Amino acid sequence: MEVISKGKGPLFKDVTPFEFRESRKNSNRGQRNKVTTVKEAIEKYVTDGCYLASGGFGTNRIATSLLHEIVRQKKKDITFCGHTTTHDYEVLVSGGCISKVDAAYIVGLEARGLSTVARKAHQAGAIEVCEWSNASLGWRITAGAKGVPFMPTYVNLGTDTYEYSASQVVKCPFTGQPVVLVPALNPDVAVIHVHKADEMGNCEINGIVVTDDDLALASKRVIITCEELVPTEYFRDNPEKTIIPWIAIDAVVEVKNGSYPGNMCGHYFSDEDHLKEWLVAEKTPETLEAHLDKYIYSCKDFNEYVEKCGGEAKIEELRKLEKI
């Protein structure tokens, strides 16, 4: 195809669909017990310099326990996929974990405000950015899941978002008209929180799925946390509930309230007071360090973090709000 133009953004992850297929073929993702701990999963699969993708949408259904553990283990130089990320991006930037980001929606926590620490990191040039729209980054993941090198689309054509992306405009061999090609994305690791999972990694998601089904299929390694670990018979009796299949999963961890302080559809609403506390703590390096020490570094696990934030009494309040 004739290349008409190229975006000026950096391509952080090479497009290697055949290599990705080989990596999936050689992974040990059989029908086996994949249950582990948060600590062990992060130690095993998340390495310095890896490409990490976060599931969920905004503060909805994020894998907070895994994100905290990445910060606790002081992982560095991570390239991050910011499809629609808010608190998850805030947590990792606060921990100094990220050096590059494929960005669609980041930094802003919707009506709550903007992450000060993330804005400062970007303004200082500490994080290298490639621009995408929500749709174009989502379709990069879809292409990665399908095992093809790119996805043709018209999205961002003629916009500055295209100019600062790593997309290319080519002449369509069928119509002769310009079409945008977005490169496939195959993250090294994806962290996804779900409602239910079994020991093999079959997953149920209620509410918005976003691209998490494709993200699991597109990633070389996938760590799942779930609100509830259920017997495999649950999915055999209700096959329509399997949003993500076991063939995509490397590790499963049961983490009750694992999206807190984010929202979990049908389980609990977001803790708006605690999300505000994060934003306030970011105002100075001293208050941020004290905040991270209190809620992450000094906590032996995620349950201790939730207890410090009010424990089951707080979760029960948020559960009532979610029902409303």
Side-chain angles (χ1 to χ4, degrees), residues 203-204 231-243:
C203 301
E204 176 184 346
T232 297
E233 285 71 27
Y234 175 82
F235 290 100
R236 288 176 177 159
D237 293 341
N238 305 277
E240 76 283 358
K241 293 185 180 294
T242 306
I243 302 300

Side-chain angles (χ1 to χ4, degrees), residues 46-222:
V46 179
T47 60
D48 290 350
C50 73
Y51 192 112
L52 176 74
S54 176
F57 184 85
T59 55
N60 300 296
R61 200 175 44 71
I62 53 177
T64 314
S65 64
L66 297 174
L67 300 166
H68 279 207
E69 188 61 28
I70 290 169
V71 172
R72 190 179 293 112
Q73 293 187 20
K74 299 184 184 297
K75 303 292 185 180
K76 299 296 181 184
D77 194 29
I78 288 173
T79 303
F80 186 71
C81 174
H83 180 221
T84 311
T85 60
T86 57
H87 185 58
D88 39 1
Y89 190 67
E90 174 185 31
V91 168
L92 293 180
V93 175
S94 295
C97 303
I98 295 176
S99 61
K100 304 179 185 72
V101 62
D102 277 316
Y105 188 96
I106 57 171
V107 180
L109 274 79
E110 288 95 17
R112 305 171 184 96
L114 301 176
S115 168
T116 300
V117 69
R119 291 183 70 192
K120 286 181 177 178
H122 284 274
Q123 289 166 351
I127 298 176
E128 189 177 4
V129 181
C130 187
E131 293 281 357
W132 306 91
S133 65
N134 290 71
S136 60
L137 194 48
W139 286 327
R140 288 191 66 195
I141 294 168
T142 297
K146 294 181 181 298
V148 296
F150 57 80
M151 184 72 70
T153 175
Y154 291 117
V155 71
N156 300 336
L157 191 62
T159 70
D160 279 351
T161 301
Y162 163 75
E163 290 295 327
Y164 290 93
S165 76
S167 301
Q168 296 187 19
V169 175
V170 301
K171 182 178 178 181
C172 174
F174 297 104
T175 67
Q177 298 300 311
V179 64
V180 179
L181 303 185
V182 294
L185 179 58
N186 294 116
D188 294 319
V189 191
V191 292
I192 302 173
H193 188 63
V194 303
H195 288 76
K196 290 183 174 71
D198 67 8
E199 64 179 22
M200 295 191 298
N202 293 301
C203 301
E204 176 184 346
I205 297 174
N206 299 321
I208 190 167
V209 175
V210 207
T211 57
D212 284 3
D213 48 353
D214 279 343
L215 178 60
L217 294 172
S219 301
K220 292 181 179 179
R221 297 288 182 228
V222 180

Side-chain angles (χ1 to χ4, degrees), residues 255-273:
V255 184
K256 188 179 180 183
N257 309 318
S259 181
Y260 177 87
N263 180 75
M264 192 67 182
C265 177
H267 283 250
Y268 44 87
F269 195 66
S270 51
D271 188 340
E272 295 301 316
D273 291 336

